């Protein structure tokens, strides 16, 4: 089976940097994805890590350590619009790119 | 491209009723998925499909059925609705291989069973 752990809530100041951690236990692992979801909206893709290391996309970066079963999402230069829930998700080995989602971290950005 | 579309946006069902949630994608993706999301929780996979005519169970399939007669459409059927099926349902699609394995989500259907 699979399980993922994320903090349930994080609060950060506008303009600051915040890191959202994710630890996972899985019987089969291909990669770790991150999705953003605003209240009432659909999840939208942010990043994917298949190999160890850092992936950078604009203000967002994602890191993976396969040996530690750990990853994180780093958000820089926080903006009010970054207030949302962030989900890590493990891509498993079914061959259908299936994702197993964590319970999400609610980020609140304050002025 | 419209991406992934879902209908209806909202629905209230009485216990024991049945309904079909519609999902259509226009990106020619082979893979399609149905998830449910309970309040404050992550998404749980109900069913998935790797192509027309091929479907398989996900993590929480009980009480649901699917079919995939075309690449574009992947309807989800609820038989004998129960209060435990009150949730937000998301359909998603992804290309078969390569790249970031990104899943593209529809806007969701909010279902209440009373």
């Amino acid at each position: 089976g699979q399980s993922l752990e994320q903090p349930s809530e994080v609060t950060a100041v506008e303009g600051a940097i915040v890191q959202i951690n994710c630890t996972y236990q899985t019987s089969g692992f291909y990669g770790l994805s991150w999705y953003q979801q605003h209240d009432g909206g659909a999840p939208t893709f942010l990043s994917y890590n298949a190999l160890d290391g850092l992936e950078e996309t604009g203000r967002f970066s994602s890191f993976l350590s396969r040996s530690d079963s750990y990853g994180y999402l780093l958000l820089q230069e926080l903006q009010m619009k970054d207030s949302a829930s962030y989900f890590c998700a493990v891509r498993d080995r079914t061959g259908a790119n299936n994702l197993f989602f964590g319970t999400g971290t609610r980020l609140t950005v304050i002025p | 491209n419209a991406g992934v579309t879902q209908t209806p946006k909202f629905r209230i069902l009485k216990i024991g009723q049945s309904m079909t949630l519609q999902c259509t994608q226009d990106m020619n993706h082979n893979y399609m998925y149905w998830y449910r999301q309970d309040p404050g929780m992550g998404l749980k996979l109900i069913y998935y499909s790797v192509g027309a005519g091929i479907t398989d169970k996900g993590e929480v399939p009980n009480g649901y059925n699917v079919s995939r007669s075309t690449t574009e459409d992947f309807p989800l059927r609820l038989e004998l609705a129960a209060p435990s099926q009150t949730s937000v349902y998301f359909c998603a699609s992804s290309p078969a291989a390569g790249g970031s394995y990104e899943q593209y989500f529809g806007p969701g259907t909010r279902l209440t069973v009373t």
Side-chain angles (χ1 to χ4, degrees):
Chain A
Q2 291 118 326
S3 69
L4 293 95
E5 285 193 20
Q6 310 177 230
S8 58
E9 293 182 352
V10 172
T11 300
V13 178
E14 190 177 14
I17 299 172
V18 71
Q19 178 174 313
I20 298 174
N21 298 322
C22 174
T23 57
Y24 61 87
Q25 288 184 313
T26 178
S27 54
F29 178 85
Y30 273 149
L32 189 70
S33 297
W34 289 90
Y35 283 77
Q36 179 192 59
Q37 185 180 31
H38 286 98
D39 285 348
T44 56
F45 174 81
L46 292 176
S47 68
Y48 175 71
N49 294 69
L51 303 174
D52 287 359
L54 195 67
E55 295 280 343
E56 297 181 74
T57 309
R59 294 188 297 115
F60 292 3
S61 303
S62 57
F63 172 82
L64 176 66
S65 169
R66 295 173 70 111
S67 60
D68 295 323
S69 297
Y70 164 76
Y72 66 72
L73 179 70
L74 193 72
L75 295 81
Q76 303 182 72
E77 301 173 13
L78 280 173
Q79 302 176 7
M80 299 300 289
K81 67 178 182 180
D82 296 330
S83 292
S85 292
Y86 293 85
F87 295 89
C88 59
V90 167
R91 176 176 165 249
D92 73 10
R93 292 177 180 262
T94 58
N97 301 335
N98 286 357
L99 293 175
F100 184 89
F101 282 82
T103 53
T105 298
R106 186 172 184 86
L107 170 64
T108 301
V109 180
I110 58 176
Chain B
N1 282 354
V4 180
T5 57
Q6 294 182 236
T7 57
K9 286 187 168 54
F10 303 92
R11 182 73 187 267
I12 299 174
L13 279 183
K14 293 189 185 305
I15 294 171
Q17 288 184 322
S18 300
M19 76 166 293
T20 298
L21 282 66
Q22 302 292 344
C23 175
T24 299
Q25 54 95 6
D26 62 0
M27 297 174 281
N28 201 34
H29 287 165
N30 287 327
Y31 294 169
M32 295 188 75
Y33 315 84
W34 273 106
Y35 294 91
R36 61 175 287 172
Q37 185 177 33
D38 297 332
M41 301 297 289
L43 289 83
K44 292 189 182 297
L45 183 64
I46 304 172
Y47 270 95
Y48 65 96
S49 168
V50 299
I54 307 170
T55 63
D56 208 344
K57 296 177 181 178
E59 189 184 0
V60 289
N62 290 347
Y64 308 94
N65 277 301
V66 293
S67 59
R68 182 103 181 264
S69 56
T70 67
T71 298
E72 294 77 22
D73 299 307
F74 189 39
L76 177 73
R77 178 84 177 159
L78 278 73
E79 304 282 1
L80 298 175
S84 60
Q85 293 178 304
T86 293
S87 191
V88 181
Y89 291 84
F90 289 102
C91 178
S93 71
S94 76
S100 61
Y101 304 98
E102 175 180 353
Q103 291 191 10
Y104 298 78
F105 284 81
T109 294
R110 295 180 181 278
L111 176 68
T112 302
V113 182
T114 61

